[in-house]
Amino acid sequence: MPVPAAVHVLVLGGTTEARRLAESLAGDRSVRVTSSLAGRVAAPRLPPGDVRVGGFGGPGGLAEWVREHRVDALIDATHPFAAAMSRNAAEAAALAHVPLLALRRPGWVAQDGDRWHSTGSLAEAAGLLPALGERVFLTTGRMGLAAFAGAGLDALWFLVRSVDAPEPPFPARMEVLLDRGPFDLDGERELLRRHRIDVLVTKDSGGDATAPKLTAAREAGVPVVVVRRPPVPEGVPVARTPDEAARWVARLHASG
Ligand code: NAP
């Protein structure tokens, strides 16, 4: 009997969930998985399966790559804030006529005792800070620090945590903490205490790896500025977990 060809799945990654999905798909002989990384992190944790690194050159380039490498399905497992790539994925999937799924971990939900301030952008978050505190724990990543570099924030001090060193423009008064999650609650409590943090800024990234800072802030009565997520492009189905995404691939294969 002829052996059915493996389904080629391209996972747009850069997240823990993308890596977990690649691990899960790599164990399935009916699937061939390629993970794509943007190349932003100097030493990324590589998933199993094939890996390619760097941009595609916009939606047209991604569609071309999909056709050339005979990709059967595309999974956008990028970070919830990688909005440009998610738009490109939607456009490329339409151009190349391949099914697309977005893998998005659920966002965080405020609990009793939280003092959250929801904002639509980093710039809006920066605008709220002077009214909330003076010693800011900034956990929004090294990209986008320009929003906090304005003269109006000169009186504030920032603790900036990022995986790789940030490049200017960045806040005038800051200390950089190079670190990569997961972070534990004791460590986050200690960080808030040691640096006398009185306001925290975060994106609504969701997930467990970086959630302990929210618990530590709640316990310490520290206000949190939470930047809301951009929406998933219209019409793109969403899976919440790598398992759910793997089942979507299995269904494709079964129907294929
Ligand atoms: P973005 O603004 O949405 O995308 C900018 C450009 O980077 C895209 O147009 C694309 O270039 C390239 N790109 C992004 N993700 C890619 C991928 N997985 N494979 C190949 N090219 C990719 O993205 P971003 O916010 O800078 O994020 C970049 C990467 O870091 C993503 O993989 C994301 O999952 C990860 N990440 C982002 C955040 C965040 O807060 N934004 C946090 C943690 C991890 P071309 O147009 O040339 O194809």
Side-chain angles (χ1 to χ4, degrees):
M1 260 201 3
V3 180
V7 178
H8 187 191
V9 180
L10 176 60
V11 177
L12 304 173
T15 58
T16 306
E17 287 74 13
R19 211 173 55 245
R20 298 228 170 100
L21 174 62
E23 283 162 7
S24 155
L25 296 179
D28 181 343
R29 282 170 50 205
S30 62
V31 176
R32 176 182 158 214
V33 60
T34 302
S35 297
S36 173
L37 304 177
R40 298 279 196 286
V41 174
R45 291 176 188 152
L46 293 180
D50 294 337
V51 178
R52 64 158 306 283
V53 180
F56 295 92
L62 175 54
E64 189 54 39
W65 200 97
V66 161
R67 283 193 208 100
E68 202 175 300
H69 294 82
R70 298 180 180 283
V71 170
D72 299 298
L74 191 53
I75 299 187
D76 167 21
T78 56
H79 190 270
F81 282 81
M85 196 57 194
S86 296
R87 279 195 304 274
N88 288 359
E91 214 176 303
L95 286 170
H97 305 289
V98 292
L100 168 67
L101 177 77
L103 171 54
R104 286 287 180 287
R105 63 179 91 128
W108 289 317
V109 178
Q111 298 183 21
D112 281 354
D114 277 328
R115 298 172 57 199
W116 286 12
H117 300 261
S118 174
T119 65
S121 67
L122 291 176
E124 206 183 305
L128 285 182
L129 288 179
L132 293 175
E134 291 176 356
R135 298 182 62 82
V136 185
F137 185 18
L138 193 54
T139 64
T140 48
R142 73 190 171 103
M143 316 297 271
L145 286 184
F148 302 91
L153 302 181
D154 277 355
L156 308 187
W157 176 86
F158 290 82
L159 176 65
V160 173
R161 182 163 67 190
S162 58
V163 176
D164 290 312
E167 285 158 24
F170 43 53
R173 299 171 61 224
M174 72 164 189
E175 182 176 325
V176 176
L177 181 60
L178 294 182
D179 208 349
R180 166 152 60 187
F183 302 106
D184 67 26
L185 182 55
D186 283 346
E188 300 295 59
R189 283 180 180 135
E190 170 58 15
L191 213 56
L192 297 193
R193 196 193 55 73
R194 181 157 31 98
H195 294 282
R196 291 179 286 116
I197 297 298
D198 54 17
V199 57
L200 164 68
V201 185
T202 181
K203 293 173 176 171
D204 178 16
S205 299
D208 298 334
T210 59
K213 64 188 172 191
L214 301 172
T215 309
R218 183 185 317 126
E219 289 175 356
V222 166
V224 183
V225 180
V226 181
V227 182
R228 289 188 297 276
R229 296 172 167 204
V232 172
E234 219 179 305
V236 177
V238 177
R240 293 289 169 194
T241 62
D243 280 353
E244 220 182 288
R247 285 197 292 274
W248 180 82
V249 172
R251 281 199 299 277
L252 277 184
H253 195 243
S255 67

